[in-house]
Amino acid sequence: MKVLLIAEEDKTIDALVPVIKKSGAEIITYRWLLKALDNVEEIAPDMVVISTAEYPRHWKTFVQFTKSGIGGVVPKVILYNSRPMSDDEKSKARSLGVFGMFNSLDEKGLEEVEKYLAGKSEQAFGFVSNGPKFELVFTNPKNESLITGSVKSVQDNRIEFTSDIPDLIKNLNPGDSIANATFGENKAYRYVSAKVLSNGKFLELKLT
């Protein structure tokens, strides 16, 4: 397994690097998130650990990019929050499909990291439910915007989707084709294309 660690502070790096190495994973560390974003396609990590307090805005950009599948890789993203997340930030993280989070570098926090590395934890951020969890990220073919949001329902290959930023999909019309999309079910991702069936209260798509 390959892990990309994105953190600026020495104390964060010094605490996490030994834990990641102990798991047997290969580790690549970046102090500059945007530089990591430039190189993520080449790195192709299986997991990314991001210190959100050091990159309060750009971590969302990074997650959106990797979850879109544009880079050919959809890693599990773990957030380290040394500062409490607001409810809005938590909601955004969930909608982006963040895999999990931990809030400290003490013994308890590092134990959570070990569980993620071992594939034994999926519950810290509330992403596990009794039913399937669906996700969709795609590129709007008309304006090249990266679209994230919530899958409201799935039936056969038809889905109802609401965008985090509705204005970015207003220009989509029935019959339009979407070539670059990533569809996830319970954290199992696949690359798909889709056709717009309708665009009203929900964006109704047929996956192809």
Side-chain angles (χ1 to χ4, degrees):
M1 182 169 68
K2 187 183 295 183
V3 178
L4 173 59
L5 171 62
I6 306 174
E8 184 175 343
E9 294 187 357
D10 288 337
K11 66 178 182 180
T12 303
I13 296 172
D14 291 344
L16 292 175
V17 165
V19 175
I20 296 171
K21 285 185 175 180
K22 182 181 176 182
S23 74
E26 177 185 355
I27 181 170
I28 298 94
T29 302
Y30 275 77
R31 293 179 183 269
W32 299 96
L33 185 144
L34 294 181
K35 185 66 174 177
L37 184 62
D38 287 340
N39 295 324
V40 69
E41 295 179 51
E42 181 180 350
I43 297 168
D46 301 292
M47 181 178 291
V48 181
V49 180
I50 304 176
S51 179
T52 59
E54 297 164 49
Y55 316 100
R57 290 176 296 176
H58 290 130
W59 71 263
K60 302 180 186 72
T61 302
F62 188 96
V63 176
Q64 286 176 323
F65 180 83
T66 58
K67 290 298 182 182
S68 74
I70 292 173
V73 57
V74 184
K76 296 176 180 178
V77 177
I78 309 299
L79 303 180
Y80 164 50
N81 301 314
S82 60
R83 301 171 188 169
M85 259 192 171
S86 68
D87 289 341
D88 286 344
E89 286 180 312
K90 289 180 181 179
S91 177
K92 183 65 174 178
R94 288 190 178 93
S95 71
L96 290 174
V98 167
F99 186 77
M101 62 174 278
F102 62 102
N103 301 317
S104 72
L105 296 175
D106 60 14
E107 183 177 354
K108 182 178 179 182
L110 295 179
E111 284 179 354
E112 282 299 311
V113 177
E114 290 178 344
K115 290 179 181 178
Y116 287 126
L117 291 166
K120 296 179 180 179
S121 178
E122 296 184 14
Q123 298 182 354
F125 214 11
F127 296 134
V128 175
S129 64
N130 292 329
K133 170 70 176 180
F134 298 104
E135 304 165 55
L136 180 70
V137 181
F138 64 90
T139 301
N140 184 326
K142 293 186 174 180
N143 57 23
E144 298 300 317
S145 297
L146 188 62
I147 308 301
T148 62
S150 303
V151 176
K152 298 300 182 182
S153 68
V154 178
Q155 185 172 7
D156 297 326
N157 286 326
R158 294 173 180 247
I159 69 171
E160 290 182 334
F161 175 85
T162 58
S163 172
D164 291 329
I165 307 177
D167 285 347
L168 294 181
I169 62 169
K170 282 185 176 180
N171 60 355
L172 292 178
N173 300 310
D176 287 341
S177 295
I178 296 170
N180 299 315
T182 303
F183 182 72
E185 180 176 352
N186 290 339
K187 302 301 176 185
Y189 297 97
R190 58 190 172 99
Y191 303 122
V192 299
S193 56
K195 179 174 288 187
V196 178
L197 300 178
S198 66
N199 191 0
K201 181 179 179 182
F202 301 106
L203 180 65
E204 186 180 6
L205 301 169
K206 182 177 181 181
L207 302 184
T208 57

